[in-house]
Amino acid sequence: DSGVTQTPKHLITATGQRVTLRCSPRSGDLSVYWYQQSLDQGLQFLIQYYNGEERAKGNILERFSAQQFPDLHSELNLSSLELGDSALYFCASSAGREGTEAFFGQGTRLTVV
Amino acid sequence: AQSVTQLGSHVSVSEGALVLLRCNYSSSVPPYLFWYVQYPNQGLQLLLKYTTGATLVKGINGFEAEFKKSETSFHLTKPSAHMSDAAEYFCAVTLYSSASKIIFGSGTRLSIRP
């Protein structure tokens, strides 16, 4: 158990809909990362937050947004969903200090039908 | 910008044979390097990491990796493969600054033949 909790584990929704994925980081970790894993794109970095502020942005679509709340949990919002958004979405957290590794949650498997 | 290249999307070895998974990085400043393993239907788990100091890093499950600055490489090895090592392995890099994003390679799927 990495200590990172993601909910829900599975999500099936229709095209055009909006979903919210939730992540609770490890106790004490200030940094949260979101990644998308699909068969054709591999593990893609989406966005990183550090203590409530956006710190780095990767290949995140404009239809996607995220935030980190004062209690440090994070949410990833996906809207106007398309079939191609079907993937495994991982949240990871780290202490945010130099050289600290990220600990991953079990992921949310999103299926868009 | 930093990047990671993993050579070989799929590696197959016999049980008991040497495992060698290749990783090369690109970074303009000293990097921190990681190897993660992902078993089916699970999240990524840290195998080992290099920050500073000793260039040969030992990790869990008998794996080790050597940081070679001159070759910009961080290859993962294990002397003797076990069936339970079958998984996907990811090399990752982050830069020498707090809260820097972690960039992953495309992954190498390791298969073990009986």
Side-chain angles (χ1 to χ4, degrees), chain B residues 7 13 16 19 24 28 32 34 38 40 53 57 59 66 69 78 91 94 98 102-103 109 112:
Chain B
L7 298 176
V13 302
V19 174
N24 288 89
S28 57
Y32 294 114
F34 309 90
Q38 184 182 26
V57 181
E66 186 171 10
K69 185 178 178 181
K78 181 174 181 178
C91 182
T94 188
S98 62
I102 302 176
I103 299 300
R109 181 165 300 279
I112 311 296

Side-chain angles (χ1 to χ4, degrees), chain A residues 21-99:
Chain A
L21 312 184
R22 181 187 169 97
C23 171
S24 293
R26 288 192 325 154
S27 177
D29 281 356
L30 298 178
S31 199
V32 169
Y33 309 78
W34 285 99
Y35 291 86
Q36 179 193 58
Q37 186 177 38
S38 59
L39 283 175
D40 57 342
Q41 295 290 325
L43 193 64
Q44 296 287 319
F45 168 72
L46 295 179
I47 198 165
Q48 178 200 2
Y49 283 83
Y50 180 77
N51 203 19
E53 294 186 2
E54 182 183 305
R55 184 58 61 97
K57 216 166 188 176
N59 301 320
I60 187 166
L61 300 173
E62 285 191 11
R63 299 184 285 108
F64 297 179
S65 64
Q67 54 183 328
Q68 185 179 28
F69 295 86
D71 67 352
L72 300 178
H73 91 272
S74 178
E75 293 181 356
L76 178 67
N77 300 295
L78 315 176
S79 61
S80 303
L81 285 167
E82 302 174 358
L83 295 178
D85 297 328
S86 296
L88 201 50
Y89 291 85
F90 284 109
C91 169
S93 74
S94 76
R97 295 186 300 274
E98 288 183 9

Side-chain angles (χ1 to χ4, degrees), chain A residues 31 33 35 37 42-43 45 48 50 55-58 88 90 96-106 109, chain B residues 32 34 36 38 41-46 49 51 88 90 94-106:
Chain A
S31 199
Y33 309 78
Y35 291 86
Q37 186 177 38
L43 193 64
F45 168 72
Q48 178 200 2
Y50 180 77
R55 184 58 61 97
K57 216 166 188 176
L88 201 50
F90 284 109
R97 295 186 300 274
E98 288 183 9
T100 53
E101 64 271 28
F103 293 85
F104 280 75
Q106 294 293 295
R109 182 169 295 282
Chain B
Y32 294 114
F34 309 90
Y36 283 83
Q38 184 182 26
N41 300 313
Q42 294 190 25
L44 279 70
Q45 178 185 358
L46 182 72
K49 68 176 183 179
T51 53
E88 184 115 22
F90 293 91
T94 188
L95 290 185
Y96 202 80
S97 70
S98 62
S100 178
K101 60 185 178 182
I102 302 176
I103 299 300
F104 285 82
S106 55

Side-chain angles (χ1 to χ4, degrees), chain B residues 29-104:
Chain B
V29 297
Y32 294 114
L33 295 159
F34 309 90
W35 274 100
Y36 283 83
V37 60
Q38 184 182 26
Y39 298 102
N41 300 313
Q42 294 190 25
L44 279 70
Q45 178 185 358
L46 182 72
L47 269 180
L48 49 80
K49 68 176 183 179
Y50 168 79
T51 53
T52 57
T55 57
L56 183 61
V57 181
K58 294 188 185 301
I60 62 172
N61 301 337
F63 284 93
E64 60 183 36
E66 186 171 10
F67 171 63
K68 292 187 176 181
K69 185 178 178 181
S70 61
E71 298 177 8
T72 61
S73 68
F74 191 57
H75 301 332
L76 181 71
T77 60
K78 181 174 181 178
S80 177
H82 192 272
M83 296 300 291
S84 61
D85 295 327
E88 184 115 22
Y89 292 80
F90 293 91
C91 182
V93 62
T94 188
L95 290 185
Y96 202 80
S97 70
S98 62
S100 178
K101 60 185 178 182
I102 302 176
I103 299 300
F104 285 82

